[in-house]
Amino acid sequence: MADYKLIYFNGRGRAEIARYIFAHAGVRYEDERLHGNDQWAILKPSTPWKCLPVLEVEGKKIGGSNVIARFLAERLGLAGEGDIQKAEIAAAADAVSDLADKMIKIHFEQEDLKKEELIKDFKATILPLKLGSFEEQIKKNGSKDGWLFTATVSWADMLLHIATELLENILPDALGDYPGVTKLKESVENLPNIKRWIMERPVTIH
């Protein structure tokens, strides 16, 4: 079994999907968390693309949140079956990341009026488009657990769950019109190892 080290800041953020994958697969890893800008300034020059997260494995450093997640999912059986389905799952993950980027912009906006404008636009246009697409795919897949593409959980399902955590912080009733996404969220957080991770993970702001 390979030794893994995941490096990120002391938060869930873009590293949480890798932590979910490790937890679900029952794979041990070193969860290195940086505290403060000084630690990051020292580490940054040695990272592949001067950003985090970074995964260290077999003497190599892999950068990029979704790249790391897909790599781990391939190794640990969460990437789907066959090239086409794997690509579909990766595309869904990219769509989740696009949604998350919009929410992160809202989350970190400091000006109240600007934040209200961002939320209004997000709720009126972006949310129905994105969640509507996920809802449609869940219905098409027909999984009783709400999975997007497979009969069992994939890394895109996990990533969507993580996104809904931030979404409900911004709009607590956001999932009310999306029963399929709600079911997926419930199914992910009730996976035994994920449920344990959520209960035991370090408490952070985001």
Side-chain angles (χ1 to χ4, degrees), residues 16-27 66 68-82 85-90 92-93 147-159 188 191 193-194:
E16 194 67 2
I17 180 58
R19 297 181 185 125
Y20 269 42
I21 293 170
F22 281 131
H24 181 70
V27 172
N66 278 5
I68 291 168
R70 186 171 183 176
F71 168 78
L72 293 174
E74 291 267 8
R75 282 197 162 192
L76 302 174
L78 293 166
E81 299 292 336
Q85 189 178 82
K86 288 177 180 179
E88 289 177 325
I89 289 171
W147 307 135
L148 285 163
F149 285 100
T150 56
T152 56
V153 67
S154 74
W155 70 280
D157 299 314
M158 294 180 179
L159 192 63
V188 171
L191 293 166
N193 286 353
I194 297 295

Side-chain angles (χ1 to χ4, degrees), residues 154-174:
S154 74
W155 70 280
D157 299 314
M158 294 180 179
L159 192 63
L160 183 52
H161 174 274
I162 293 165
T164 63
E165 289 188 314
L166 178 56
L167 175 60
E168 290 186 321
N169 283 337
I170 297 170
L171 296 169
D173 60 347

Side-chain angles (χ1 to χ4, degrees), residues 8-175:
Y8 193 61
F9 305 105
N10 184 34
R12 298 189 295 276
R14 298 185 185 277
E16 194 67 2
I17 180 58
R19 297 181 185 125
Y20 269 42
I21 293 170
F22 281 131
H24 181 70
V27 172
R28 295 175 63 86
Y29 67 103
E30 183 179 349
D31 188 11
E32 182 174 318
R33 295 169 180 249
L34 305 186
H35 297 267
N37 291 330
D38 289 346
Q39 284 187 303
W40 172 226
I42 293 169
L43 180 66
K44 187 174 182 178
S46 68
T47 60
W49 310 113
K50 311 303 179 274
C51 62
L52 295 178
V54 166
L55 179 71
E56 293 187 1
V57 56
E58 298 176 12
K60 301 292 185 179
K61 295 180 180 180
I62 301 171
S65 176
N66 278 5
V67 172
I68 291 168
R70 186 171 183 176
F71 168 78
L72 293 174
E74 291 267 8
R75 282 197 162 192
L76 302 174
L78 293 166
E81 299 292 336
D83 292 343
I84 298 297
Q85 189 178 82
K86 288 177 180 179
E88 289 177 325
I89 289 171
D94 281 354
V96 176
S97 295
D98 184 55
L99 175 65
D101 287 343
K102 304 293 192 302
M103 293 189 292
I104 290 168
K105 184 176 181 180
I106 293 171
H107 181 75
F108 285 104
E109 176 57 54
Q110 298 297 312
E111 186 180 330
D112 289 343
L113 289 177
K114 179 62 175 177
K115 191 165 191 169
E116 288 178 11
E117 291 175 4
L118 289 172
I119 291 174
K120 183 179 179 180
D121 179 64
F122 178 81
K123 189 173 182 179
T125 60
I126 298 168
L127 191 63
L129 179 66
K130 293 295 185 180
L131 287 192
S133 296
F134 294 130
E135 190 74 18
E136 182 180 345
Q137 178 56 39
I138 289 167
K139 184 176 180 180
K140 180 180 177 181
N141 188 44
S143 166
K144 64 181 178 62
D145 296 310
W147 307 135
L148 285 163
F149 285 100
T150 56
T152 56
V153 67
S154 74
W155 70 280
D157 299 314
M158 294 180 179
L159 192 63
L160 183 52
H161 174 274
I162 293 165
T164 63
E165 289 188 314
L166 178 56
L167 175 60
E168 290 186 321
N169 283 337
I170 297 170
L171 296 169
D173 60 347
L175 299 183

